[in-house]
Each structure stands twice: as C-alpha cells, then as structure tokens.
Amino acid sequence: MFVRWSIAGTRCASAFGLRRPCARGWVRALSMSGDSGDPHAWLEEVEGEKQLAWVKDQSTECVKSVGEPKETETYTRIKSILDSKEKIPHSYRIGDDDASPYYNFWQDATHVQGIWRRTTLESFKSADTEWHTVLDLDKLPPPTTGTAKTWVWHGSTLLDEGPSRAQWDRALIKLSPGGSDADICREFCLKTEEFVAPDAAEQGFALTDPAKTRISYRSRNETLVGTDFGGDKSTLTDSGYPRVVKSWKRGTPITDAVTVFECQQADISASMYCYHDRGFVHEFQLRSITFYTSEYFHRSLTADGVAGTTADAETTPFRKVPIPEDAELGTFADLALVTLRTDLKDPKGKDGTTFLAGAMISLPMDELMEGNWSNAFALFSPTPARSLSSTSETRDYVILKVLEDVKTVLEFYKYDPATRSWMKQDGAGESVAVGDDIDVSSHCRNSECDNTLWLTRDGYLTPTTLEMGTAEDCCGATTRVKSKPAMFNADGLCVEQQFATSADGTRIPYFIIRRKDIAYDGTNAVLLDAYGGFEIAMLPGYSAGVGAGWLEKGGVKVIANIRGGGEYGPKWHQAALKEHRYKCYEDVEAIAQALIDSKLTCKEKLACIGGSNGGLLVGNLITRPISSTLFGAAVCQVPLLDMKRYSQLLAGASWMGEYGDPSKPEEWAYLRRHSPYHILRHDILGKDEEGAPEPVTAPRKDWKCPKSLFVTSTRDDRVHPAHARKMVACLQQEAGDHVDVVQYWENTEGGHGGAADNSQRAYMWALTYNFLAQVLAVGK
C-alpha cells in the first residue's frame, strides 16, 4: 500500500477512497475579511445575490461575444466524444475469485450523472459487453446545496476484512453536490445493490450533510472518520481539513464517535487508517504538518485484533516512524517503502551510504521502527535524467513507472517473503515512443489477490488500448481487451520533443504536436500548456477533445515540462519552490521564445493555457514584463491569482509549503513578486498598495494584456473563484487601454474540475477553443 499526494489536497491513501478535503462553509467568504484597500474584495462572497448577478452578467456577455457553444460544431464534436460508447470502460474486479464481477463508473448522454455498473470478465472482453446497473445517480433525489443541481461521483471505499474474512459486500459511496470537494457518504450493499439505511436492521453508516470528510472502514462495524463534527469548524485545521479523527461504531450516532487521534491547529490535517497487506495488518496515524512534511505513527495488529477490538479500545501503542519528515511511507507485506524528497546520508547500518532525493527504499518495517537501515534496499535510485513517476503493485511484484527525459520505462521487482528481498526481473526496460505513454495497474481492487495487470497504452496521437497481462513475465505477452477508435483525424500529424534553454542555462523539455508539413513562417496558431507545481508531471495522453477542438482546426499544441513539476523528481520540483517560483515562469518564457525564434509561430498567434496552479502560471505570464510580450492570448482556468489572500481562502493554507506564507514579511517579499493580482494593480497600474511605499514602481504604461479568457466555478471549494473574479474586475474596470479583450465565464456547478457532467465539460471546452480560434485567427 503506497501513500501519495493528491494534487492541491492532502496526502491520502487512494485505496481507502480518501478524497481531497478542504474547508466547510466555503460558500461564504465575507468581503470584510479581505484587504481593506481592495475595491474588488466584495467578490469573495461566493453566493451573495449581488455577486451572482455580476457572475451572470459576465458569463452572459462572454457567451454573447464568443458565441453560444452549443450552436457550434466544436461543442457537438466534443460532446459526442465524451458520450461515445466506444470509450474504454476502465473496470476493476471486486472480489478475490475469478468469477467476481468487474465494476465501472460510466457517463454518457443517457446517464448524465452516471451509473455504477458491473459485468463479468468474459463479457467485458467481448465486443458487446453486457452491463448490469448497480447504482444510477440520475435516479437519486437531487442535491439541495447552494447552486448544485446534480450529483458527482466521488468514488467508493471497500470493506476489506483480510484474506480469511473478506466478503467484498460493502462499500462507502461518496457523492458530491455539484462537483464540490464537499461530499456526502452512504454505505452501500454490493449484494442487495441498495444503500444500507441507518435506521434499518443493519444500521448503515451515513453522513448526509456535505462536508470535507475522510472516512474508511477499520472493520465491518467500525469506521475511522475525520470531518467537521458539529458543523462549527472546531474540528478542522486552519487549512480546513480534518483535525480530529474518531472511531465511529455501527448503530451509534456520529455524536457518540470517540476521538482517537488529533493534530495541531496549524497542521494541514490528521488522518488515521488501517489495512490488510499480504497477511499483515498495519494501522497508521498521519499528521500532515505541511504539504510536504508529515509525521507517521504506526502499530502492527492482527486480523483477529482489528475485527474484535475497536481503535479506541486497542492497547497496542502507536510508535513514531523514524523517517525524515519530508519522506513518504507505504508498505508491502511486512516491509516499509520509503520515498525520499531530500538526500538521506549515512542512515544507521548504512554508514557511508547516501540515498538520493527521489529514491524509493525498501526495508523491514520492524527494523525501520528501530532505526536500523542495514537491510535497506533501493528499489529505485534517480539520475539527472531518470525519476520515479509512480508505482503499482500485485501480489508478488512492485512495478515502477520510471521517466527518462519524460519517456516511460517500466521496471518489475519480485518480492521473496522467505528472504524479505527483491529481485529485479529481466524483460523490462524498453521505453515507449516519443509522445506515447504506458501505465499498469492491478485488475482487482484488492491488488494482492494475484499478479494480473491491466496495461494501458496511449499517446498524444495514439488512441487508448487496454490489455491484460501479468507481472510474472513483465507484461511481455499481453491480450488486447479493448481499443478506443481514433476520435479525431490525426493524419499528417506528428509529435516531437524539443529542449529550450532557460535563463539560468537549464534544459527544459517540451512536446510539439503539429502537422508534418507545417510551414515555419510564423503564422501558425500555437497553444502552450503548462503546470509547473506540486511535483506533478505532464505526461503524454490521448485527448480527443484537444484533437477535435484544436488540432483538426490547424492549431499546434505544445506541452511544457517546466520546473515545479515532477518530470525529473523532487529536485526538479524544488527548483521552483517558494522564493524560486520565478524559475518556472522563466522556463515558459524560454520555450515561448524558442517557438517564436523557430518561426513556428509569432506573438500574435501564441497562446498560453493553464488551470489551478497552472492558472497562477498564466496569471504571471500575462503580467510579467517579458512573457506578456510573448503571448497574444491566454486562457486562465480555476486560478490562484491573489497570493496575499490565498492562504485565507478555502484550502489555501495547505499550499503554503509550495508557495510560502504571506503573513510572514520575509516570505511575502518573494510571494509579492509572483502575485499576478498585485503585479497588475500596483506594479502595472500604479494603484496604492496597503503597507507598501507609494507607488511601488512607476506604472508600466507600455504593458498590454494578452487577449484573455478566465474560467472558474461557483462550486469550486478548493481554489476560491474570487481569484479570477477580482482579476477580471480589475482588468475591466481599472486597466483601461491596457486591455483589448478580457472575457469571464463561471460555471455554477463543476467544482475544481470546472464541470459536473459531459454537457458542462463540452460547453466549457468548446467555449475555450472557440475563443482561441477567434483571437488567434485560427485558419486565417
């Protein structure tokens, strides 16, 4: 079981279905708490009547200017792609025997909110799969929360009672009103295919008030839950995540749940989880101190002990795991798997040995608890060109997805429980083609049942295929199970990888998707996509929406693998952390300049796009002195833009490990330099800035804002919609002749993803591509 970060959320164990939590009460962020000198702070109140009227006017004007997306071929194409029954229905088995069913969640034009369904493996392998509906979200009573009109599937958490007890008959289902991170949770019986009501004989678990909740089974009759107990935020951290974890027994009200773990108010979150792992039982308490630092506490239990003794009554003490605070910890059987984010020098028993940042180390858990690293083994060691992207597991194997200059290589290691050692398997190591990717995962929700794997292949121009193989031969012989047909015309297109040299001499990779016979005459419309944060790598994948909405129209797509991401491991990420944030902006500037110098495009035909942290990137690109002269257009999606206020809005406090703490003068000093809202109002427009000399700099009279579209969601309870609202209000009301085109569109549903169903997704992306086609004069 390996624990990894969830983007813009907290560390979570995905196998337990833990979602990305953040502050409850998100719908009202009162403007009085904002900067007293900010005339646009009133837009921080999310669902006020005046604020929603402003949103409606802006969105209406945007659609009027760009054109109604539903009346365009772009919308029709993207909607048909999203609803296509030829998509691959990725499915996973629930149950340990070969006859157990495979489950899939599916959305299309008929099932707008979606259905959870099942089939047999034999039927799944056939061309005409027969599906049985288990749960139909469209038949549920609609949510009554704020502007939410639909349910959004947030996944299922299974009851795993261990090898001798597991029945695989219960799940905790999480549903979000309108796509927000806040969700409800209800227990579901996989045998009767019905929710288990709290007042029924079986006394089901149910949390029906939307909240940022972490909940998982500890045993059949006990869950571990962290939430906004009482609804007054007293059990949340400053970041809005659970601060208190309680043991909740079946048949008792949530008010009777017993506290079993707490973290500090200033921490990001507290969590506690218990799971079975190849005959062993691990229980962890996790104190997430910052986004990149944590303390783990561990105790080894038995299956009988967990089944018979609740967490609050268990007498086996937790012990702190002696690993660096910035390391990540998982297990495989009775081994610890430690992934490092900084170098570890001379651990006990390994004198003279340095394990590098980005390495993944395996050692016996009992020895780790004693601080003994003598039997530590590096499953992965990084090099300047190689990093560990992700891991997968089966009963006997760990599979490493390794990146070599952003190209994937799979490596297989087999575990020998008799010697507690690993053996690297022959047959692995072949890299995929430029612009393609490959992933493996267990075919079963219980990855330790066997060594069978799903293998997924795709690429920028390569439609997805799903194959079944086994780790026992390193997936050397696979059976193709499903193939997605080409959903856009890629004839005459190609993918190439290039490198640009950033301001400090660092080589920055990027991919170009273009026509093979393209003319390098500076007239091509190019869309540059980047993220650059939270150690997230931008890897190749098949996006028919990009193909239909952009490439088929003659556009060129560029994907930038800039610093701040995870393409070369933690050091690549740390190179653009906090005060070094400007490095990722310089990386994009270098790529943009290279595209212009090569005459692939020109400023007027070059656009940038990014969402969330990528929206912060775009905000900087349109306001920085250099980059604002390199781009003719920009699309800024669900962005962070006000870096003075971000830590006080919704989940923002949890990201101070990435950006810095604006309440500390020494950190605000560098945060200020990459806060687009402040750069715009004070550096460019010369507006007075509270607490700063007047003016900060002479107004930049020659600045011209690239033609811009800002997109966000009222239901985004992770990144506050006020970031985009305030930026647009400033541009429209204060920037005058500096601005040519600035459009704003806010979906009233959708959460941080911007859309709750396929119709909304098609609408958002059709609006985006139609805007870009207009302002970049695509095809003209």
Side-chain angles (χ1 to χ4, degrees), residues 294-444:
S294 300
E295 288 182 341
Y296 291 86
F297 303 87
H298 174 263
R299 64 184 176 190
S300 294
L301 301 175
T302 65
D304 289 341
V306 170
T309 306
T310 58
D312 56 306
E314 176 59 58
T315 59
T316 303
F318 281 96
R319 299 168 60 199
K320 184 178 178 180
V321 184
I323 58 174
E325 286 189 347
D326 62 355
E328 296 181 353
L329 177 64
T331 64
F332 189 100
D334 60 344
L335 298 182
L337 301 179
V338 182
T339 301
L340 302 175
R341 301 196 74 257
T342 52
D343 294 350
L344 179 62
K345 297 181 180 180
D346 297 328
K348 181 179 177 182
K350 286 284 186 179
D351 292 345
T353 298
T354 296
F355 294 113
L356 299 178
M360 183 176 186
I361 313 301
S362 169
L363 70 161
M365 177 62 81
D366 55 353
E367 295 182 10
L368 173 62
M369 296 303 292
E370 300 301 325
N372 178 9
W373 290 70
S374 59
N375 290 310
F377 173 75
L379 284 165
F380 176 78
S381 296
T383 70
R386 283 169 50 93
S387 66
L388 179 61
S389 176
S390 62
T391 64
S392 302
E393 300 169 0
T394 67
R395 183 186 62 211
D396 304 309
Y397 294 81
V398 164
I399 303 98
L400 310 181
K401 179 174 179 176
V402 177
L403 298 182
E404 295 182 347
D405 281 331
V406 205
K407 295 186 286 289
T408 296
V409 176
L410 297 179
E411 296 182 354
F412 292 74
Y413 282 85
K414 185 177 182 180
Y415 178 58
D416 181 358
T419 59
R420 301 174 91 180
S421 63
W422 296 95
M423 179 64 70
K424 187 175 182 180
Q425 304 299 290
D426 294 332
E430 182 177 353
S431 178
V432 300
V434 171
D436 282 356
D437 195 24
I438 188 169
D439 276 301
V440 293
S441 62
S442 174
H443 73 119
C444 186

Side-chain angles (χ1 to χ4, degrees), residues 512-528:
I512 302 175
I513 311 169
R514 59 171 178 81
R515 297 185 306 279
K516 295 177 182 177
D517 60 352
I518 199 165
Y520 283 81
D521 58 5
T523 65
N524 301 292
V526 174
L527 180 59
L528 194 162

Side-chain angles (χ1 to χ4, degrees), residues 56-68:
K56 182 178 180 181
D57 289 346
Q58 290 286 333
S59 297
T60 299
E61 179 59 31
C62 176
V63 171
K64 180 180 178 181
S65 177
V66 178
E68 171 56 51

Side-chain angles (χ1 to χ4, degrees), residues 1-2 160 162-163 274-282 284 330-337 365 393-395 415 446-448:
M1 188 69 60
F2 199 67
D160 178 6
C274 182
Y275 59 90
H276 299 264
D277 190 347
R278 296 160 182 82
F280 298 87
V281 179
H282 299 282
F284 284 99
T331 64
F332 189 100
D334 60 344
L335 298 182
L337 301 179
M365 177 62 81
E393 300 169 0
T394 67
R395 183 186 62 211
Y415 178 58
N446 177 27
S447 64
E448 63 186 75

